[in-house]
Amino acid sequence: MKAFTITPVEKGIMRCQHTDPFTPDDVQSLSKFLEDYKGKLLIDLSGTTPDECLRNIKNFRPMMPTAAIFGAAIDQKVLDLSESYYEKEVRSFDNEGEALAWLRNQ
C-alpha cells in the first residue's frame, strides 16, 4: 500500500493524504508528482505521526506547489525554508475548512 493518495478536490486543487510511513518508492513517486503538478495542493496529515510529517516536509518542501496543510501541528517556520523566488507559498491550518478556503483565494 502506498504511503499517500492523491485525489481531486475541485478544479485546480488536489488532495494529498498521507497515511503510512514513506518507503523509498513512495518518496520517488511523490517527488515525481510534485515535480509535474502545477495546481494547488491540499495536504491532509491526519493519518500520520508528527515525526513522520516533519521528516518528510523538510525533504518535499522545496518541490511543493502552493499548498495548505492540515491534520498535524506544523510550525510555520518549518514551511518558510527560504526567500527563494521559486518556492510557492505553503501554510499550515488547524482544519480542512480553513485550509481549503485559503487555497481557493490563492
Side-chain angles (χ1 to χ4, degrees):
M1 178 174 199
K2 277 189 152 181
F4 66 94
T5 57
I6 306 286
T7 55
V9 174
E10 59 189 52
K11 185 177 181 178
I13 300 176
M14 298 291 280
R15 173 190 312 269
C16 178
Q17 186 171 17
H18 184 77
T19 53
D20 290 307
F22 279 97
T23 66
D25 286 343
D26 292 327
V27 169
Q28 188 174 28
S29 178
L30 185 56
S31 295
K32 180 66 174 149
F33 170 78
L34 293 173
E35 181 181 308
D36 294 341
Y37 183 61
K38 303 300 181 221
K40 300 172 190 172
L41 199 56
L42 180 66
I43 302 172
D44 180 355
L45 299 178
S46 59
T48 189
T49 66
D51 289 342
E52 177 79 5
C53 294
L54 290 176
R55 181 174 50 253
N56 288 299
I57 283 179
K58 288 178 182 179
N59 293 329
F60 290 122
R61 174 60 184 99
M63 297 178 264
M64 286 183 183
T66 300
I69 298 172
F70 73 97
I74 303 293
D75 187 341
Q76 189 63 36
K77 291 177 186 176
V78 172
L79 301 175
D80 295 338
L81 294 178
S82 73
E83 295 296 321
S84 170
Y85 175 79
Y86 296 104
E87 286 183 0
K88 305 292 187 201
E89 189 168 6
V90 177
R91 299 189 76 197
S92 181
F93 295 89
D94 292 332
N95 60 60
E96 181 176 357
E98 291 175 2
L100 196 52
W102 179 81
L103 272 181
R104 288 177 177 140
N105 290 313
Q106 295 307 299

